[in-house]
């Protein structure tokens, strides 16, 4: 499949040792033989488009093939698949006439295969070509990394002869052995450590970065330039000879990065495939992808040596090629087992131009991966673990990226949220971001629909900054805003309390009315014991006063920050108070109208109220509750009846008034801040 690749990339195309005058030397030998023996050249040997006029005796005595053929005829035509073609036969003919044959790594494989075809063994002469070429291969070629690579590349055009003569196998075993020795060489590795992929585990996958790493070791660069068939056999030999997986797996990854994931590889295949470029490229990529999956180690062995980003890149390529079956399932399961080590930048996103994200194959594959991770986690450990928290956060970050699809319906988005259990989410910040994005592209959702979509969002698991944003976000359902308001008020109250305590501690030596003295007015010794400042403060070291000033500055900063947050929250509370008052008045008017309609329909007067008159707006409470229930309606808090709405609105209004009073009390401590808080209604 990769014959063209190796031929184009390899600079080892022709032998620099081959003589261009082989043909001329052969003619001289033929003429000399005729003059010495007085016999004419009576045999015609045709190889491809060339014809050689030779003598019968040299061919007859040194070649078993010609020994048989020349008994039948003086004209012999070699088959089209003769190893090496006419050029190789020309060099063998020169040897037959007694001349030295120029052998080098570029032609030894072809000469050995041609000699075997012509049966030039010891049976037809001692020191025949087969024996000579075997000695050269074993003692010269297989002792050199570069020479072995040259021979192996030349064997691509000599199949099946090179395979039957074990030339390919010997070269592969030799390369694997020398690669193992390369890694074990202590002197070399002292200056240049062996390449591993541990550095890539903590960053997104990058083909460019991987290629830069490959260029550090030329022997790896040589291996990944080989054809797929030879490369697979070398990887198997490396493992048989004991190379550790942390050194083998990177070689496979570098090979896949070069021929599957690199940007340049598609242009290369298109240039080398001809008219049916797309079909041929897809077939080649599919074959290579399956082979790479077979070569990669899976399971726990791969968790420490192969970055999960590489598996995501392979999965993306597999989906693009339309690969199905065990290959996709194998990749998805491997990714699921390593998901806590992934980066959100590695996740699969629909390609540009996809009409609907929710219907894309990339989203479906990601959903399968996270669901598989949840099942693996449940089977191994029922209690949430730190890795589960990481996976949940990654999933919420991914949802924030795909929530911008206007075609995604609420039910589908909720199903995606439920892929990861809610209990596995320690923080809901990224979930809030995803929901906010979803609500931005779906502005027509009703309050009830918004409440349903956001039902899994827990304001108690929001960070301080995100909670403030949620309070001021009008896209959020009112129920969620109220919940966030209460939590924010509690946080603000706690912040004021901490600032107050810090302020008292920092200034308890400067003010006569300290906290401890006010509590223990008659106990001077106890006051002195609790206060960090005592008489003789001037004898304190300089560091003490520096710490005191630093504490004062921090206290003022936190107080100012909390005041601004409180202003924002109080403004939101004031708006909600107005909304609740409007709601309460409308409910009272509806109750009065219902009472009037009920009275007009009945002729007899209503029974007297034994408990006396009731305040305006509450006369119809008994009637609406006992006689004519009004059913369920949608409100800012949920689906309740009118009576419960009035009761809840009154209680909530009291809470807001208390919060406002609390803010007013805090604001009096600072000059000019009293006008910032809402007045009580």
């Amino acid at each position: 499949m990769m014959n063209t690749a190796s031929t184009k990339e390899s600079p080892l195309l022709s032998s620099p040792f081959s003589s261009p005058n082989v043909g001329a030397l052969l003619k001289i030998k033929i003429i000399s033989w005729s003059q010495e023996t007085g016999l004419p050249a009576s045999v015609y040997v045709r190889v491809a488009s060339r014809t050689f006029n030779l003598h019968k005796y040299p061919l007859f005595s040194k070649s078993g093939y010609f020994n048989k053929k020349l008994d039948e005829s003086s004209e012999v035509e070699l088959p089209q698949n003769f190893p090496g073609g006419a050029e190789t036969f020309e060099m063998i003919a020169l040897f037959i006439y007694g001349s030295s044959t120029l052998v080098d790594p570029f032609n030894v494989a072809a000469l050995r295969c041609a000699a075997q075809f012509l049966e030039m063994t010891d049976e037809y002469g001692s020191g025949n070509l087969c024996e000579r070429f075997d000695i050269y291969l074993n003692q010269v070629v297989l002792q050199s990394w570069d020479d072995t690579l040259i021979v192996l590349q030349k064997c691509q055009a000599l199949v099946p002869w090179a395979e039957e003569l074990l030339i390919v196998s010997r070269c592969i075993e030799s390369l694997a052995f020398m690669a193992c020795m390369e890694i074990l060489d202590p002197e070399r590795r002292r200056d240049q450590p062996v390449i591993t992929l541990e550095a890539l585990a903590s960053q997104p996958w990058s083909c460019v970065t991987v290629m830069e790493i490959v260029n550090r070791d030329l022997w790896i660069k040589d291996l990944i330039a080989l054809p797929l068939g030879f490369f697979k056999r070398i990887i198997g030999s490396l493992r048989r000879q004991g190379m550790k997986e942390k050194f083998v797996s990177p070689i496979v990854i570098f090979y896949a990065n070069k021929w599957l994931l690199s940007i340049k590889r598609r242009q290369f295949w298109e240039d080398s495939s001809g008219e049916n470029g797309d079909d041929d490229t897809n077939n080649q990529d599919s074959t290579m992808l399956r082979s790479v999956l077979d070569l990669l180690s899976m399971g726990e062995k791969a968790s420490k040596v192969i970055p999960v980003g590489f598996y995501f890149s392979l999965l993306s390529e597999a989906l693009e090629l339309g690969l199905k079956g065990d290959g996709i399932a194998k990749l998805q399961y491997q990714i699921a087992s390593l998901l806590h080590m992934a980066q959100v930048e590695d996740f699969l996103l629909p390609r540009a131009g996809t009409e609907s994200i929710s219907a894309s194959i990339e989203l479906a594959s990601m959903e399968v991966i996270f669901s598989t991770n949840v099942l693996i986690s449940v089977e191994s450990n029922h209690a949430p673990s730190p890795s589960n928290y990481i996976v949940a956060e990654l999933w919420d970050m991914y949802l924030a990226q795909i929530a911008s699809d206007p075609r995604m319906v609420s039910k589908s988005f909720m199903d995606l949220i439920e892929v990861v259990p809610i209990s596995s989410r320690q923080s809901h910040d990224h979930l809030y971001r995803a929901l906010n994005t979803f609500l931005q592209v779906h502005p027509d959702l009703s309050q009830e629909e918004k409440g349903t979509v956001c039902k899994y969002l827990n304001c108690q698991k929001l960070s301080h900054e995100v909670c403030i944003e949620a309070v001021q976000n009008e896209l959020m359902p009112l129920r969620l805003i109220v919940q966030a308001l209460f939590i924010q008020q509690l946080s603000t109250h706690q912040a004021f309390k901490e600032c107050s305590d810090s302020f008292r501690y920092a200034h308890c030596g400067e003010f006569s009315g300290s906290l401890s003295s006010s509590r223990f007015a008659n106990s001077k010794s106890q006051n002195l014991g609790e206060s960090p400042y005592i008489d003789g403060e001037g004898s304190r070291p300089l560091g003490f006063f520096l710490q005191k000033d630093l504490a004062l500055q921090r206290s003022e900063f936190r107080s100012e920050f909390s005041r601004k947050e409180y202003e924002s929250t109080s403004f939101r509370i004031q708006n909600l108070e107005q909304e609740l008052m409007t709601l309460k008045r409308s409910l009272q008017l509806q109750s009065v109208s219902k009472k009037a309609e009920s009275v007009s329909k009945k002729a007899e007067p209503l029974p007297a109220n034994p408990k006396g008159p009731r305040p305006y707006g509450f006369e119809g409470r008994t009637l609406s509750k006992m006689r004519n229930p009004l059913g369920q309606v949608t409100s800012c808090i949920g689906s309740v009846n009118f009576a419960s709405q009035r009761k809840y609105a009154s209680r909530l209004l009291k809470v807001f008034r208390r919060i406002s009073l609390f803010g007013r009390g805090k604001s009096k401590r600072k000059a000019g801040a009293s006008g910032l808080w809402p007045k009580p209604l």
Side-chain angles (χ1 to χ4, degrees):
M1 183 183 69
M2 290 177 55
N3 294 357
T4 310
S6 299
T7 304
K8 286 189 70 173
E9 285 206 354
S10 175
L12 313 174
L13 297 179
S14 61
S15 171
F17 310 109
S18 300
S19 173
N21 297 321
V22 174
L25 291 175
L26 180 59
K27 290 181 180 179
I28 294 174
K29 284 293 183 180
I30 294 174
I31 294 173
S32 299
W33 182 272
S34 298
Q35 292 175 351
E36 292 176 2
T37 61
L39 298 175
S42 58
V43 176
Y44 295 90
V45 179
R46 184 176 181 83
V47 184
S49 59
R50 295 180 62 183
T51 302
F52 297 89
N53 188 10
L54 305 174
H55 294 85
K56 180 176 180 180
Y57 178 76
L59 297 176
F60 187 87
S61 61
K62 293 186 177 181
S63 170
Y65 179 84
F66 285 114
N67 190 298
K68 299 172 184 176
K69 292 292 184 180
L70 292 179
D71 288 340
E72 302 173 359
S73 172
S74 60
E75 295 183 4
V76 179
E77 183 175 359
L78 297 179
Q80 292 292 330
N81 62 344
F82 177 76
E87 296 174 354
T88 301
F89 179 79
E90 192 172 47
M91 297 183 68
I92 289 181
L94 190 62
F95 169 78
I96 290 176
Y97 277 95
S99 178
S100 299
T101 305
L102 298 176
V103 184
D104 57 58
F106 294 88
N107 60 27
V108 65
L111 289 172
R112 178 64 181 90
C113 294
Q116 185 68 28
F117 180 88
L118 297 175
E119 301 178 23
M120 302 181 71
T121 61
D122 292 343
E123 181 181 352
Y124 296 93
S126 178
N128 215 337
L129 284 185
C130 290
E131 182 182 358
R132 291 190 181 188
F133 295 149
D134 281 335
I135 293 174
Y136 182 82
L137 280 171
N138 295 330
Q139 297 184 1
V140 178
V141 172
L142 299 181
Q143 306 303 316
S144 168
W145 176 271
D146 292 335
D147 291 347
T148 306
L149 277 176
I150 294 171
V151 172
L152 188 59
Q153 291 172 350
K154 293 298 180 180
C155 286
Q156 298 177 59
L158 300 173
V159 177
W161 298 101
E163 291 286 1
E164 295 176 356
L165 296 174
L166 303 180
I167 299 176
V168 174
S169 299
R170 284 184 283 176
C171 289
I172 287 174
E173 294 298 324
S174 177
L175 289 174
F177 177 79
M178 287 186 281
C180 292
M181 293 299 102
E182 181 78 10
I183 291 177
L184 296 176
D185 186 358
E187 294 183 1
R188 181 177 178 84
R189 291 310 158 195
R190 188 180 298 113
D191 301 329
Q192 185 178 2
V194 182
I195 292 178
T196 60
L197 297 178
E198 296 177 357
L200 296 179
S202 59
Q203 56 182 309
W205 183 259
S206 171
C207 295
V208 177
T209 303
V210 173
M211 292 305 298
E212 292 176 355
I213 295 176
V214 171
N215 292 331
R216 300 175 191 172
D217 264 338
L218 294 180
W219 67 274
I220 295 181
K221 191 175 181 180
D222 290 335
L223 291 183
I224 65 175
L226 292 173
L228 178 61
F230 292 166
F231 179 79
K232 290 167 61 177
R233 294 167 65 175
I234 285 182
I235 294 300
S237 180
L238 290 173
R239 286 171 172 155
R240 285 195 305 272
Q241 296 190 30
M243 182 179 285
K244 294 182 179 179
E245 194 60 40
K246 67 177 181 179
F247 301 131
V248 177
S249 292
I251 301 175
V252 180
I253 292 175
F254 296 149
Y255 189 87
N257 185 75
K258 178 181 178 66
W259 297 108
L260 277 175
L261 308 179
S262 176
I263 300 176
K264 297 180 180 180
R265 56 93 185 166
R266 182 168 291 277
Q267 182 63 40
F268 171 81
W269 288 123
E270 291 176 355
D271 294 342
S272 60
S273 297
E275 298 180 355
N276 300 325
D278 292 339
D279 295 338
D280 292 342
T281 300
N282 290 337
N283 293 334
Q284 292 164 348
D285 287 347
S286 299
T287 302
M288 185 172 294
L289 180 59
R290 293 188 182 92
S291 300
V292 168
L293 291 178
D294 293 337
L295 290 176
L296 284 174
S297 60
M298 296 292 181
E300 296 181 359
K301 291 183 179 180
S303 61
K304 298 181 180 180
V305 296
I306 301 179
V308 66
F310 171 73
Y311 288 115
F312 272 113
S313 298
L314 280 187
L315 180 59
S316 176
E317 186 69 20
L319 294 178
E320 183 181 1
L321 295 173
L323 191 66
K324 298 180 180 179
D326 295 339
I328 293 291
K330 189 177 181 181
L331 271 176
Q332 289 176 340
Y333 186 86
Q334 183 66 21
I335 293 174
S337 63
L338 306 175
L339 198 53
H340 61 282
M341 303 171 63
Q343 305 286 325
V344 69
E345 293 82 1
D346 294 324
F347 289 172
L348 304 182
L349 291 174
R351 300 185 180 275
T354 304
E355 294 184 358
S356 176
I357 296 178
S358 57
S360 64
I361 188 173
E362 289 83 4
L363 177 57
S365 183
M366 290 296 298
E367 187 175 355
V368 171
I369 290 172
F370 277 84
S371 300
T372 305
N373 177 270
V374 172
L375 293 177
I376 294 174
S377 177
V378 170
E379 293 176 357
S380 59
N381 185 13
H382 294 286
S385 61
S387 61
N388 298 137
Y389 302 146
I390 296 175
V391 170
E393 185 175 358
L394 290 173
W395 180 242
D396 290 341
M397 294 170 68
Y398 181 73
L399 291 182
Q401 295 184 359
I402 65 170
S404 58
D405 180 16
R407 300 189 179 186
M408 183 178 295
V409 298
S410 302
K411 181 63 170 60
S412 299
F413 192 68
M414 290 185 63
D415 292 339
L416 292 176
I417 295 176
E418 294 170 354
V419 167
V420 175
I422 302 300
S423 59
S424 298
R425 291 177 166 93
Q426 273 192 322
S427 171
H428 282 203
D429 286 2
H430 294 292
L431 180 59
Y432 168 80
R433 301 294 182 196
L435 290 169
N436 185 40
T437 303
F438 182 80
L439 295 178
Q440 286 177 355
V441 298
H442 295 81
D444 299 332
L445 293 179
S446 64
Q447 282 291 327
E448 183 178 359
E449 291 173 331
K450 289 182 179 180
T452 303
V453 173
C454 299
K455 69 177 183 179
Y456 293 121
L457 187 61
N458 187 354
C459 293
Q460 293 180 346
K461 292 188 177 182
L462 294 177
S463 63
H464 187 65
E465 294 77 9
V466 176
C467 190
I468 294 175
E469 181 181 341
V471 170
Q472 302 174 358
N473 191 349
E474 297 183 356
L475 293 175
M476 292 289 123
L478 191 56
R479 177 188 301 176
L480 183 68
I481 295 176
V482 172
Q483 182 186 10
L485 274 172
F486 278 114
I487 294 174
Q488 182 60 25
Q489 287 295 325
L490 292 176
S491 301
T492 306
H493 176 72
Q494 182 66 23
F496 273 119
K497 184 177 182 300
E498 292 177 358
C499 291
S500 177
D501 293 344
S502 176
F503 181 82
R504 290 176 182 175
Y505 179 81
H507 296 276
C508 62
E510 300 176 6
F511 298 97
S512 58
S514 64
L515 180 62
S516 57
S517 62
S518 63
R519 290 184 178 179
F520 305 98
N522 299 325
S523 177
K524 183 177 181 180
S525 60
Q526 187 171 0
N527 186 27
L528 292 174
E530 290 186 358
S531 175
Y533 299 93
I534 59 176
D535 294 338
E537 192 181 45
S539 61
R540 297 282 188 180
L542 178 61
F544 174 80
F545 293 102
L546 293 176
Q547 293 179 358
K548 174 182 175 182
D549 293 340
L550 182 60
L552 179 60
Q553 293 175 2
R554 290 178 177 175
S555 174
E556 293 176 352
F557 173 77
R558 295 180 64 183
S559 178
E560 179 67 18
F561 181 70
S562 299
R563 184 183 66 80
K564 292 181 179 180
E565 292 180 356
Y566 200 88
E567 291 175 3
S568 174
T569 305
S570 180
F571 177 75
R572 188 63 176 162
I573 291 175
Q574 187 176 8
N575 292 337
L576 285 173
E577 283 181 347
Q578 295 176 358
E579 294 178 8
L580 289 171
M581 288 296 296
T582 304
L583 175 64
K584 183 176 180 180
R585 292 192 186 99
S586 64
L587 292 175
Q588 289 175 348
L589 292 176
Q590 291 179 3
S591 178
V592 171
S593 63
K594 286 292 182 179
K595 176 183 176 182
E597 291 178 2
S598 176
V599 171
S600 62
K601 289 181 180 180
K602 293 184 177 292
E604 65 277 11
L606 294 173
N609 187 357
K611 296 185 180 180
R614 310 184 77 176
Y616 176 76
F618 290 84
E619 298 89 340
R621 179 181 295 273
T622 304
L623 180 62
S624 62
K625 181 177 180 181
M626 302 298 294
R627 277 190 167 185
N628 188 20
L630 298 178
Q632 301 293 326
V633 296
T634 301
S635 69
C636 63
I637 305 300
S639 297
V640 294
N641 55 34
F642 286 123
S644 60
Q645 281 186 343
R646 289 196 301 272
K647 183 177 179 181
Y648 189 84
S650 300
R651 293 176 61 186
L652 189 59
L653 194 56
K654 291 179 181 179
V655 173
F656 285 151
R657 286 175 178 171
R658 292 177 183 175
I659 295 175
S660 300
L661 291 175
F662 168 73
R664 190 177 298 107
K666 293 291 182 181
S667 64
K668 288 180 180 179
R669 296 184 182 181
K670 293 195 174 284
S674 60
L676 298 174
W677 313 112
K679 296 182 180 181
L681 298 176

